[in-house]
Amino acid sequence: MIVQAKVQLRIPCPSCVEGGWRADHLTIGFSTTWSCQECHNEANIKRVSESDFEVTPNGRKETPVVVTLQSITEPKITLKLNAWKYAHSQGDSQEDYESHQRYFYDEHTCPTNWTREIVEIIFEGDHDPHGVFEFVSVVNGRLVDSPYYDGMILEEPKTDK
Ligand SMILES: [Zn+2]
């Protein structure tokens, strides 16, 4: 089989050598700001031609934060997340930032969006609570988004005939 390779545009981060951004979807003349996944500096980015981008570090930076969440169950399960305070939130007062974060975690975002950031689970004072989540079942397949907006549905593995 012969396949055609795809060329993907990637802009290197101007503040470090490791990071960068995929840029195929930016149209010529469009500008935006992105933070680097590696060094966490933010840059203003503008596509100026088919192959050229104007990339300027803007002096803002994401900074590490530790977020503590608590389940609404009884007894409560406490979670600690390593997360990032966005560059555009750096000027917020602590009170405003906490209020925005409370809205984000309590109402806005699905818990599956931040579970990968969990670094500690605490249950009744135990910081290594083996068994706090008990095994229930295992089945073949993958959960996929339901078209009826009611959670996930099981998709059976495809079998070759
Ligand atoms: Zn970088």
Side-chain angles (χ1 to χ4, degrees), residues 4-15:
Q4 196 170 37
K6 282 185 182 159
V7 176
Q8 298 180 333
L9 291 176
R10 183 178 176 281
I11 309 172
C13 169
S15 305

Side-chain angles (χ1 to χ4, degrees), residues 123-144:
F123 182 71
E124 295 188 311
D126 183 354
H127 290 244
D128 189 17
H130 292 212
V132 74
F133 296 106
E134 292 182 324
F135 178 81
V136 175
S137 68
V138 58
V139 294
N140 290 324
R142 280 284 174 267
L143 290 174
V144 296

Side-chain angles (χ1 to χ4, degrees), residues 7 14 18 23 25 27 30 36 39 49 61 66 82 85 90 97 104-105 112 114-115 123 129 138-139 144 147 150 159:
V7 176
E18 302 296 319
H25 56 292
T27 54
F30 186 82
C36 176
C39 71
S49 75
K61 190 173 183 170
V66 175
N82 274 341
K85 183 177 187 177
Q90 296 295 333
Y97 185 60
F104 179 77
Y105 288 104
T112 55
W114 48 258
T115 43
F123 182 71
V138 58
V139 294
V144 296
D150 57 354
T159 51

Side-chain angles (χ1 to χ4, degrees), residues 15 41-44 56-62 87 90:
S15 305
N41 286 293
E42 192 180 59
N44 299 330
T56 316
N58 62 19
R60 299 197 303 190
K61 190 173 183 170
E62 293 178 327
Q90 296 295 333

Side-chain angles (χ1 to χ4, degrees), residues 14-145:
S15 305
C16 71
V17 288
E18 302 296 319
W21 306 278
R22 287 286 313 282
D24 302 83
H25 56 292
L26 291 186
T27 54
I28 294 168
F30 186 82
S31 47
T32 186
T33 58
W34 282 335
S35 289
C36 176
Q37 294 288 332
E38 295 295 330
C39 71
H40 301 279
N41 286 293
E42 192 180 59
N44 299 330
I45 295 157
K46 183 181 183 184
R47 187 168 192 171
V48 293
S49 75
E50 211 42 62
S51 60
D52 296 316
F53 295 82
E54 201 176 276
V55 184
T56 316
N58 62 19
R60 299 197 303 190
K61 190 173 183 170
E62 293 178 327
T63 53
V65 288
V66 175
V67 177
T68 301
L69 303 175
Q70 201 166 56
S71 70
I72 60 171
T73 59
E74 208 54 63
K76 294 179 185 314
I77 301 170
T78 301
L79 306 175
K80 300 270 185 185
L81 322 182
N82 274 341
W84 292 92
K85 183 177 187 177
Y86 291 137
H88 64 73
S89 298
Q90 296 295 333
D92 293 0
S93 67
Q94 180 66 14
E95 194 182 12
D96 283 352
Y97 185 60
E98 281 184 7
S99 158
H100 296 155
Q101 290 290 97
R102 184 180 303 281
Y103 168 76
F104 179 77
Y105 288 104
D106 289 2
E107 298 178 49
H108 179 72
T109 194
C110 176
T112 55
N113 291 332
W114 48 258
T115 43
R116 73 179 72 88
E117 295 170 342
I118 296 172
V119 290
E120 188 172 32
I121 299 176
I122 305 164
F123 182 71
E124 295 188 311
D126 183 354
H127 290 244
D128 189 17
H130 292 212
V132 74
F133 296 106
E134 292 182 324
F135 178 81
V136 175
S137 68
V138 58
V139 294
N140 290 324
R142 280 284 174 267
L143 290 174
V144 296
D145 227 343

